[in-house]
Amino acid sequence: MGTLVGHVAPGFAFMLLGFWHLFNHIKLHVQQPSSYVSSPWFSTSKIKYLELYFIMLGSSISVSMELFIGPERHQPFDPDGTIPSNHLHNFEHSSISLTFFVYAAFAIILDIVNPKARYALTQSLASLAFGQQLFLFHLHSADHMGVEGQYHLLLQIAIVVSLLTTILGINYPRSFIISFIRSASILYQGLWLVIMGFMLWTPSLIPKGCFINFEEDHDVVRCEGHEALSRAKSLVNIQFSWSLIAVTIFVMSVYLGLVKFYGEKVEYSTLSSKAMLEEDSDDVESPNSDQVGDTKRFIHMGRSFVPIDIER
């Protein structure tokens, strides 16, 4: 991170992951409303662990960029083996990525070794990953007072929602709304990271009265005075509000669209099954209908028969 690409790339990864979860949770709930059970990750038809491989690959790339590709000497340490101040944020970001890598790796191992116990343990690992993310962004070594700090402060709100819903999901795996909000919060994390990347490292998008200044080997947005800084933070708050509204409209539209699409399929399938059962029952009863009718007529005639007294 610390650059446009460093925010936009992981942002798109979070957005893709959040949408993947949103789509699958809605589809699963629509198709199985009475037996819905949440899942910490979703497999694909061709590659079962594709989602987890994606997380591991993205995390590996992030760690490599932060520690070995991004630094000028292609390694984050000083010649004496210590961590320089300008690389502290690299270690913070890479620690977040490493935690998500650990989550994905153990999710695969747990599914192979003990599938029955994988849900709670995998959700716990996901909670740890979000908790680590919140911890490091809250105590970030970057500037907390400037415009970048305001972006990170608001990012923590989305992380808190992801963390709380993941923890709640451990005890409430059948709650669709918990899974729905968690998926939306992950998607929003990604969107906010993308917004951060463009708004903080695109000169034409810097707020009025502020500028990009190169400090400690990375660009930082600085403002000319308190009034310009307050205005810039207010603009960040407005961006957060508008992007939250946009995500709300998007996720609700996805929900309604999938309910209509998969709901109609489920209803059609149910009606077809009922029709087939009725046809089968008719086929079973039809051969015996004549016999039953004959039997009833025979019984009726038998009852109406009056014996004749021959002796008289």
Side-chain angles (χ1 to χ4, degrees):
M1 294 186 178
T3 61
L4 188 149
V5 177
H7 283 79
V8 172
F12 273 118
F14 270 97
M15 288 177 65
L16 183 61
L17 188 63
F19 178 77
W20 172 250
H21 275 239
L22 185 73
F23 174 86
N24 283 282
H25 280 300
I26 296 174
K27 178 182 175 182
L28 184 62
H29 183 258
V30 172
Q31 293 180 334
Q32 304 174 10
S34 58
S35 60
Y36 168 82
V37 178
S38 177
S39 177
W41 53 272
F42 292 93
S43 60
T44 61
S45 57
K46 294 184 178 180
I47 304 177
K48 181 178 182 180
Y49 302 116
L50 180 61
E51 175 188 333
L52 301 175
Y53 291 151
F54 174 76
I55 295 174
M56 294 172 66
L57 176 62
S59 299
S60 301
I61 294 174
S62 177
V63 172
S64 300
M65 290 295 297
E66 293 288 346
L67 299 183
F68 306 109
I69 299 175
E72 293 181 358
R73 294 190 301 272
H74 300 294
Q75 58 93 11
F77 299 100
D78 272 337
D80 59 357
T82 60
I83 301 175
S85 299
N86 61 328
H87 284 171
L88 288 173
H89 66 282
N90 297 102
F91 278 89
E92 292 167 348
H93 298 157
S94 61
S95 296
I96 295 172
S97 300
L98 183 60
T99 309
F100 280 104
F101 182 93
V102 170
Y103 152 75
F106 275 102
I108 296 174
I109 296 173
L110 288 171
D111 185 67
I112 295 173
V113 175
N114 192 358
K116 293 182 179 180
R118 74 177 179 91
Y119 177 80
L121 291 174
T122 304
Q123 285 287 83
S124 300
L125 289 170
S127 302
L128 175 65
F130 287 126
Q132 175 85 302
Q133 185 186 21
L134 177 63
F135 167 73
L136 290 173
F137 275 128
H138 183 70
L139 301 176
H140 206 280
S141 60
D143 183 19
H144 289 271
M145 304 303 295
V147 179
E148 184 179 353
Q150 189 70 10
Y151 276 105
H152 281 95
L153 177 63
L154 298 177
L155 174 63
Q156 293 172 48
I157 297 176
I159 299 174
V160 167
V161 175
S162 299
L163 174 60
L164 292 179
T165 50
T166 304
I167 294 174
L168 288 172
I170 298 174
N171 289 326
Y172 301 99
R174 297 184 179 275
S175 175
F176 167 72
I177 192 63
I178 291 177
S179 301
F180 181 83
I181 295 175
R182 179 172 67 248
S183 303
S185 67
I186 295 173
L187 189 153
Y188 186 78
Q189 277 194 58
L191 176 62
W192 192 242
L193 283 170
V194 171
I195 292 174
M196 285 177 63
F198 282 106
M199 299 304 298
L200 289 174
W201 286 277
T202 304
S204 60
L205 298 178
I206 301 300
K208 186 187 301 183
C210 301
F211 55 93
I212 298 178
N213 190 42
F214 189 75
E215 300 177 7
E216 296 182 349
D217 291 341
H218 67 283
D219 293 323
V220 180
V221 175
R222 295 299 182 193
C223 297
E224 296 174 352
H226 178 73
E227 183 178 351
L229 178 59
S230 297
R231 179 180 180 276
K233 287 185 177 181
S234 296
L235 291 174
V236 174
N237 296 339
I238 294 173
Q239 291 171 17
F240 185 85
S241 299
W242 286 356
S243 58
L244 182 61
I245 294 171
V247 168
T248 302
I249 294 173
F250 175 76
V251 297
M252 293 307 299
S253 299
V254 171
Y255 175 80
L256 294 174
L258 292 179
V259 166
K260 182 178 181 180
F261 181 77
Y262 287 104
E264 289 179 351
K265 282 191 171 183
V266 172
E267 184 179 358
Y268 178 77
S269 176
T270 303
L271 290 174
S272 300
S273 300
K274 288 183 178 179
M276 290 177 64
L277 288 173
E278 290 176 358
E279 290 179 0
D280 292 340
S281 62
D282 292 341
D283 292 339
V284 172
E285 292 176 358
S286 58
N288 299 326
S289 59
D290 294 337
Q291 296 178 6
V292 172
D294 294 341
T295 304
K296 287 182 178 179
R297 285 194 295 272
F298 176 79
I299 293 173
H300 179 72
M301 292 173 62
R303 287 179 179 176
S304 62
F305 177 76
V306 179
I308 301 173
D309 190 354
I310 300 178
E311 295 180 358
R312 290 185 183 181

